[in-house]
Amino acid sequence: MQVPPIPSYDGRGLVNLVAEIEHRCTGVSIAPRLDPDLAARIPTGRTHVLVLFDGLGCHQLGHPGATDLAASVAGVIDAPFPATTTVSLATLATGLPPSQHGLIAYKMWMPEVGSVVNTIHMTTPFGEPIDGLDHAGLLPSPNLWERLRAAGVEPIVVQPGNFASTPLTRALYRGARFEGYWNADEAVAATMDLAVTDGRVVFLYIPDVDFAAHVAGQASDLYGEAMERANMVWAALASGLDPEVCLIGTADHGHVDIDEAARHMIDPDDLGTGFVSEDGRVIMVHGDGAVLASRYDGRWVPLAVESAWWGPGPEHPRFAERAPDGLLFLPDGIAVFMPSSNRRLVGYHGGCHPCEIEIPLLLREHREAIP
């Protein structure tokens, strides 16, 4: 199989959207801003609202429940590699590519604590607690929220209420004000109230589409209901926010459904003395992945051959320690797991298929149907 292209980090990626917003608010940014053709489509605003729909890739916007979302697509950008939630949210929280912020996988080898870490729960892959992991200090300082605050811009994150004070929240949102919500109507109401005040960046996170895609797949009623809720949130904000508020929407990754027969458990013998830190759609192998690649007709790429997947330098101080020896890219339509993973899920992401990498730039001022 062909090695897929490396995602954009120099003008057409999520990191560049974050840089564009930061530059408009403060006059500076660390990463390159959006390419001019995309940036020109974003209006100016007295305050900014950024909505991230977890799991809502561009290729999912043909769903009949996503009419308002699809009509608001102003462009297509790339999620960072790998296309997974914690990596993308760390990019958003820092304004840096994964190579520089250091959170390089959903399941990431961290030699400083001697374990592969599930970065959603900050546990081992089997759910065991990890001593000595500094959640609040995991990402570089100052992060995006701290830089905004230092420039006189108030950052506020609007999240599900049960996310308050979790390890991941402490890692991602250091320096930002946290506002919880318990349903979609509360999410809309809180965001609209917060956006009344000038000089703010309000970040709203909507998880519904990702959850439904994982557990039931894109053909399910659960997924349809989640898509309709996401569409309602966007439509309500687009019609209800003051015209001088700059409303932007995007996602962290897309989704692909994988048939049960195409979900495979890794045979440890195929790894020899090595181990896997990330599994599913792209396998990060610490050791030699050639045998595993042969078994699944994948493409084994040692990092000595290509290491730009996570973005440009300067690399995070621990990047080299955390990075695998190589990446195993899997053919479309299959997923490969370690025993700690849940093979019952239907929807997957983390790979480099366009359905996983390509995410929308949504603007309420834009009203052209997605191709």
Side-chain angles (χ1 to χ4, degrees), residues 264-267 269-270 289-298 328 330 334 336:
H264 306 283
M265 192 68 72
I266 290 175
D267 183 340
D269 290 342
D270 290 340
V291 174
L292 203 62
S294 177
R295 181 177 296 277
Y296 296 109
D297 197 27
L328 170 55
L330 298 169
I334 76 167
V336 178

PDB file of all heavy atoms in Angstrom, residues 264-267 269-270 289-298 328 330 334 336:
ATOM      1  N   HIS A 264      -8.806  -7.010  14.246  1.00  0.00           N
ATOM      2  CA  HIS A 264      -7.877  -8.092  14.539  1.00  0.00           C
ATOM      3  C   HIS A 264      -7.090  -7.816  15.821  1.00  0.00           C
ATOM      4  O   HIS A 264      -6.683  -6.683  16.077  1.00  0.00           O
ATOM      5  CB  HIS A 264      -6.890  -8.270  13.383  1.00  0.00           C
ATOM      6  CG  HIS A 264      -7.543  -8.454  12.058  1.00  0.00           C
ATOM      7  ND1 HIS A 264      -8.114  -9.640  11.662  1.00  0.00           N
ATOM      8  CD2 HIS A 264      -7.729  -7.578  11.021  1.00  0.00           C
ATOM      9  CE1 HIS A 264      -8.620  -9.502  10.446  1.00  0.00           C
ATOM     10  NE2 HIS A 264      -8.399  -8.262  10.042  1.00  0.00           N
ATOM     11  N   MET A 265      -6.856  -8.874  16.590  1.00  0.00           N
ATOM     12  CA  MET A 265      -6.031  -8.774  17.780  1.00  0.00           C
ATOM     13  C   MET A 265      -4.585  -9.114  17.428  1.00  0.00           C
ATOM     14  O   MET A 265      -4.315 -10.078  16.714  1.00  0.00           O
ATOM     15  CB  MET A 265      -6.537  -9.728  18.866  1.00  0.00           C
ATOM     16  CG  MET A 265      -5.922  -9.472  20.231  1.00  0.00           C
ATOM     17  SD  MET A 265      -6.453  -7.892  20.934  1.00  0.00           S
ATOM     18  CE  MET A 265      -8.158  -8.264  21.337  1.00  0.00           C
ATOM     19  N   ILE A 266      -3.659  -8.311  17.925  1.00  0.00           N
ATOM     20  CA  ILE A 266      -2.239  -8.519  17.642  1.00  0.00           C
ATOM     21  C   ILE A 266      -1.742  -9.789  18.325  1.00  0.00           C
ATOM     22  O   ILE A 266      -2.028 -10.040  19.502  1.00  0.00           O
ATOM     23  CB  ILE A 266      -1.418  -7.304  18.115  1.00  0.00           C
ATOM     24  CG1 ILE A 266      -1.701  -6.088  17.224  1.00  0.00           C
ATOM     25  CG2 ILE A 266       0.077  -7.613  18.122  1.00  0.00           C
ATOM     26  CD1 ILE A 266      -1.019  -4.816  17.681  1.00  0.00           C
ATOM     27  N   ASP A 267      -1.003 -10.582  17.587  1.00  0.00           N
ATOM     28  CA  ASP A 267      -0.291 -11.735  18.153  1.00  0.00           C
ATOM     29  C   ASP A 267       1.041 -11.225  18.702  1.00  0.00           C
ATOM     30  O   ASP A 267       1.868 -10.704  17.939  1.00  0.00           O
ATOM     31  CB  ASP A 267      -0.057 -12.783  17.069  1.00  0.00           C
ATOM     32  CG  ASP A 267       0.605 -14.045  17.603  1.00  0.00           C
ATOM     33  OD1 ASP A 267       1.221 -13.989  18.700  1.00  0.00           O
ATOM     34  OD2 ASP A 267       0.546 -15.077  16.919  1.00  0.00           O
ATOM     35  N   ASP A 269       3.686 -12.578  19.345  1.00  0.00           N
ATOM     36  CA  ASP A 269       4.859 -13.153  18.682  1.00  0.00           C
ATOM     37  C   ASP A 269       5.293 -12.326  17.480  1.00  0.00           C
ATOM     38  O   ASP A 269       6.467 -12.348  17.092  1.00  0.00           O
ATOM     39  CB  ASP A 269       4.560 -14.591  18.237  1.00  0.00           C
ATOM     40  CG  ASP A 269       4.451 -15.547  19.415  1.00  0.00           C
ATOM     41  OD1 ASP A 269       4.938 -15.197  20.507  1.00  0.00           O
ATOM     42  OD2 ASP A 269       3.866 -16.636  19.238  1.00  0.00           O
ATOM     43  N   ASP A 270       4.337 -11.594  16.887  1.00  0.00           N
ATOM     44  CA  ASP A 270       4.668 -10.764  15.733  1.00  0.00           C
ATOM     45  C   ASP A 270       5.496  -9.537  16.118  1.00  0.00           C
ATOM     46  O   ASP A 270       6.062  -8.871  15.254  1.00  0.00           O
ATOM     47  CB  ASP A 270       3.390 -10.298  15.028  1.00  0.00           C
ATOM     48  CG  ASP A 270       2.676 -11.434  14.311  1.00  0.00           C
ATOM     49  OD1 ASP A 270       3.330 -12.453  14.033  1.00  0.00           O
ATOM     50  OD2 ASP A 270       1.471 -11.299  14.050  1.00  0.00           O
ATOM     51  N   GLY A 289       8.416  -3.485  13.235  1.00  0.00           N
ATOM     52  CA  GLY A 289       7.041  -3.783  12.837  1.00  0.00           C
ATOM     53  C   GLY A 289       6.914  -4.483  11.508  1.00  0.00           C
ATOM     54  O   GLY A 289       5.798  -4.602  10.977  1.00  0.00           O
ATOM     55  N   ALA A 290       8.008  -4.989  10.947  1.00  0.00           N
ATOM     56  CA  ALA A 290       7.960  -5.575   9.611  1.00  0.00           C
ATOM     57  C   ALA A 290       7.091  -6.828   9.564  1.00  0.00           C
ATOM     58  O   ALA A 290       6.337  -7.035   8.609  1.00  0.00           O
ATOM     59  CB  ALA A 290       9.377  -5.880   9.131  1.00  0.00           C
ATOM     60  N   VAL A 291       7.187  -7.682  10.570  1.00  0.00           N
ATOM     61  CA  VAL A 291       6.384  -8.911  10.574  1.00  0.00           C
ATOM     62  C   VAL A 291       4.901  -8.576  10.682  1.00  0.00           C
ATOM     63  O   VAL A 291       4.063  -9.150   9.981  1.00  0.00           O
ATOM     64  CB  VAL A 291       6.817  -9.840  11.726  1.00  0.00           C
ATOM     65  CG1 VAL A 291       5.881 -11.052  11.829  1.00  0.00           C
ATOM     66  CG2 VAL A 291       8.256 -10.310  11.516  1.00  0.00           C
ATOM     67  N   LEU A 292       4.574  -7.644  11.541  1.00  0.00           N
ATOM     68  CA  LEU A 292       3.189  -7.220  11.698  1.00  0.00           C
ATOM     69  C   LEU A 292       2.661  -6.613  10.403  1.00  0.00           C
ATOM     70  O   LEU A 292       1.513  -6.843  10.007  1.00  0.00           O
ATOM     71  CB  LEU A 292       3.096  -6.211  12.843  1.00  0.00           C
ATOM     72  CG  LEU A 292       1.755  -6.030  13.535  1.00  0.00           C
ATOM     73  CD1 LEU A 292       1.303  -7.319  14.201  1.00  0.00           C
ATOM     74  CD2 LEU A 292       1.846  -4.910  14.558  1.00  0.00           C
ATOM     75  N   ALA A 293       3.492  -5.843   9.717  1.00  0.00           N
ATOM     76  CA  ALA A 293       3.082  -5.244   8.447  1.00  0.00           C
ATOM     77  C   ALA A 293       2.794  -6.316   7.412  1.00  0.00           C
ATOM     78  O   ALA A 293       1.818  -6.220   6.651  1.00  0.00           O
ATOM     79  CB  ALA A 293       4.176  -4.300   7.947  1.00  0.00           C
ATOM     80  N   SER A 294       3.610  -7.353   7.372  1.00  0.00           N
ATOM     81  CA  SER A 294       3.396  -8.437   6.424  1.00  0.00           C
ATOM     82  C   SER A 294       2.086  -9.174   6.698  1.00  0.00           C
ATOM     83  O   SER A 294       1.364  -9.536   5.773  1.00  0.00           O
ATOM     84  CB  SER A 294       4.579  -9.408   6.487  1.00  0.00           C
ATOM     85  OG  SER A 294       4.375 -10.511   5.636  1.00  0.00           O
ATOM     86  N   ARG A 295       1.777  -9.377   7.957  1.00  0.00           N
ATOM     87  CA  ARG A 295       0.561 -10.114   8.314  1.00  0.00           C
ATOM     88  C   ARG A 295      -0.691  -9.364   7.864  1.00  0.00           C
ATOM     89  O   ARG A 295      -1.680  -9.985   7.449  1.00  0.00           O
ATOM     90  CB  ARG A 295       0.524 -10.358   9.821  1.00  0.00           C
ATOM     91  CG  ARG A 295      -0.705 -11.152  10.280  1.00  0.00           C
ATOM     92  CD  ARG A 295      -0.675 -11.451  11.762  1.00  0.00           C
ATOM     93  NE  ARG A 295       0.434 -12.299  12.131  1.00  0.00           N
ATOM     94  CZ  ARG A 295       0.433 -13.628  12.036  1.00  0.00           C
ATOM     95  NH1 ARG A 295      -0.618 -14.257  11.540  1.00  0.00           N
ATOM     96  NH2 ARG A 295       1.483 -14.335  12.422  1.00  0.00           N
ATOM     97  N   TYR A 296      -0.687  -8.038   7.953  1.00  0.00           N
ATOM     98  CA  TYR A 296      -1.898  -7.273   7.653  1.00  0.00           C
ATOM     99  C   TYR A 296      -1.793  -6.466   6.363  1.00  0.00           C
ATOM    100  O   TYR A 296      -2.615  -5.578   6.123  1.00  0.00           O
ATOM    101  CB  TYR A 296      -2.216  -6.348   8.835  1.00  0.00           C
ATOM    102  CG  TYR A 296      -2.537  -7.128  10.079  1.00  0.00           C
ATOM    103  CD1 TYR A 296      -1.640  -7.157  11.152  1.00  0.00           C
ATOM    104  CD2 TYR A 296      -3.705  -7.870  10.169  1.00  0.00           C
ATOM    105  CE1 TYR A 296      -1.922  -7.900  12.287  1.00  0.00           C
ATOM    106  CE2 TYR A 296      -3.982  -8.616  11.296  1.00  0.00           C
ATOM    107  CZ  TYR A 296      -3.092  -8.631  12.352  1.00  0.00           C
ATOM    108  OH  TYR A 296      -3.373  -9.362  13.479  1.00  0.00           O
ATOM    109  N   ASP A 297      -0.801  -6.777   5.539  1.00  0.00           N
ATOM    110  CA  ASP A 297      -0.627  -6.109   4.249  1.00  0.00           C
ATOM    111  C   ASP A 297      -0.518  -4.599   4.423  1.00  0.00           C
ATOM    112  O   ASP A 297      -1.063  -3.821   3.641  1.00  0.00           O
ATOM    113  CB  ASP A 297      -1.795  -6.455   3.314  1.00  0.00           C
ATOM    114  CG  ASP A 297      -1.465  -6.127   1.856  1.00  0.00           C
ATOM    115  OD1 ASP A 297      -0.270  -6.130   1.504  1.00  0.00           O
ATOM    116  OD2 ASP A 297      -2.409  -5.859   1.074  1.00  0.00           O
ATOM    117  N   GLY A 298       0.171  -4.195   5.501  1.00  0.00           N
ATOM    118  CA  GLY A 298       0.343  -2.777   5.788  1.00  0.00           C
ATOM    119  C   GLY A 298       1.679  -2.260   5.292  1.00  0.00           C
ATOM    120  O   GLY A 298       2.441  -2.973   4.631  1.00  0.00           O
ATOM    121  N   LEU A 328       3.194   1.629  11.541  1.00  0.00           N
ATOM    122  CA  LEU A 328       2.585   0.664  10.642  1.00  0.00           C
ATOM    123  C   LEU A 328       1.263   1.242  10.153  1.00  0.00           C
ATOM    124  O   LEU A 328       0.313   1.386  10.932  1.00  0.00           O
ATOM    125  CB  LEU A 328       2.361  -0.672  11.350  1.00  0.00           C
ATOM    126  CG  LEU A 328       1.517  -1.697  10.599  1.00  0.00           C
ATOM    127  CD1 LEU A 328       2.096  -1.976   9.209  1.00  0.00           C
ATOM    128  CD2 LEU A 328       1.404  -2.992  11.405  1.00  0.00           C
ATOM    129  N   LEU A 330      -2.064   0.873   8.131  1.00  0.00           N
ATOM    130  CA  LEU A 330      -2.914  -0.257   7.785  1.00  0.00           C
ATOM    131  C   LEU A 330      -3.753   0.048   6.549  1.00  0.00           C
ATOM    132  O   LEU A 330      -4.104   1.208   6.301  1.00  0.00           O
ATOM    133  CB  LEU A 330      -3.838  -0.591   8.954  1.00  0.00           C
ATOM    134  CG  LEU A 330      -3.133  -1.025  10.238  1.00  0.00           C
ATOM    135  CD1 LEU A 330      -4.111  -1.074  11.393  1.00  0.00           C
ATOM    136  CD2 LEU A 330      -2.477  -2.387  10.038  1.00  0.00           C
ATOM    137  N   ILE A 334      -9.587  -1.908   7.931  1.00  0.00           N
ATOM    138  CA  ILE A 334      -9.248  -2.833   9.001  1.00  0.00           C
ATOM    139  C   ILE A 334      -8.727  -2.059  10.209  1.00  0.00           C
ATOM    140  O   ILE A 334      -8.300  -0.906  10.108  1.00  0.00           O
ATOM    141  CB  ILE A 334      -8.219  -3.903   8.576  1.00  0.00           C
ATOM    142  CG1 ILE A 334      -6.808  -3.315   8.504  1.00  0.00           C
ATOM    143  CG2 ILE A 334      -8.597  -4.552   7.261  1.00  0.00           C
ATOM    144  CD1 ILE A 334      -5.733  -4.385   8.404  1.00  0.00           C
ATOM    145  N   VAL A 336      -6.441  -2.990  14.010  1.00  0.00           N
ATOM    146  CA  VAL A 336      -5.604  -3.988  14.689  1.00  0.00           C
ATOM    147  C   VAL A 336      -5.357  -3.501  16.116  1.00  0.00           C
ATOM    148  O   VAL A 336      -5.005  -2.335  16.328  1.00  0.00           O
ATOM    149  CB  VAL A 336      -4.274  -4.195  13.939  1.00  0.00           C
ATOM    150  CG1 VAL A 336      -3.392  -5.190  14.679  1.00  0.00           C
ATOM    151  CG2 VAL A 336      -4.540  -4.674  12.511  1.00  0.00           C
TER     152      VAL A 336
END
